[in-house]
Amino acid sequence: LDPNVPRHIVAHEAIIDPGTAQYVHHFLVYGYAQRDCEDGGGLVMSWAPGRMAVTMPPEAGIRIFGHGGYKSFHIQTHYSNPNGDSGMRDSSGFRLFHTTRLRAHDIGVIQIGDPLLFLGLGGAQLARGWSKHAFECEGLT
């Protein structure tokens, strides 16, 4: 693909290796303004089991290449292997559908959250394996 020709991603889907599907927990796809994935990037797409292919609305797409578009991507594949199985090789991936016919609008992603969220545990960390914590709000009855 010519990196000087702007395009829009108009759909994306996960391709899951049937031999390792039980271990694939989710994908995170990050986009970068530089070709070397060195500029900090940002979350662009994600997938988790049960999610079907995503098609963008006809008036919008995710801009790649050209001026202002993402120049490179990296994908993080997160696995769940509670039994510690070994010897697997996963070839799952992510398929992007794109066009040179640019749509009227560029799609963006907003991430909301506090990476320094205080859990009210007095500075302690959640025990290994915990995924939840019951909170009590002081002053509320």
Side-chain angles (χ1 to χ4, degrees):
L1 298 174
D2 184 344
N4 297 310
V5 176
R7 298 171 181 272
H8 267 152
I9 294 173
V10 296
H12 57 81
E13 68 180 344
I15 303 166
I16 305 301
D17 179 340
T20 53
Q22 67 182 2
Y23 303 103
V24 178
H25 189 269
H26 65 278
F27 293 134
L28 300 173
V29 180
Y30 292 86
Y32 297 85
Q34 303 299 320
R35 294 186 69 182
D36 58 9
C37 294
E38 295 286 331
D39 61 21
L43 183 66
V44 179
M45 294 168 262
S46 62
W47 173 88
R51 186 171 190 190
M52 305 304 287
V54 174
T55 302
M56 309 305 161
E59 66 276 2
I62 299 169
R63 186 178 291 264
I64 60 174
F65 304 133
H67 179 73
Y70 294 111
K71 305 295 189 284
S72 59
F73 295 92
H74 90 249
I75 183 170
Q76 288 184 3
T77 307
H78 293 224
Y79 298 95
S80 178
N81 185 0
N83 297 324
D85 298 338
S86 62
M88 280 84 53
R89 182 172 292 219
D90 182 42
S91 61
S92 298
F94 218 69
R95 179 178 292 141
L96 306 177
F97 299 86
H98 55 86
T99 181
T100 55
R101 285 182 279 174
L102 297 181
R103 295 176 170 191
H105 304 285
D106 292 337
I107 289 177
V109 174
I110 227 174
Q111 286 181 267
I112 299 173
D114 182 356
L116 304 175
L117 182 65
F118 176 69
L119 293 177
L121 299 175
Q125 295 183 353
L126 288 174
R128 183 179 171 94
W130 283 23
S131 62
K132 65 180 179 178
H133 177 76
F135 294 94
E136 292 183 20
C137 296
E138 294 179 21
L140 296 179
T141 57

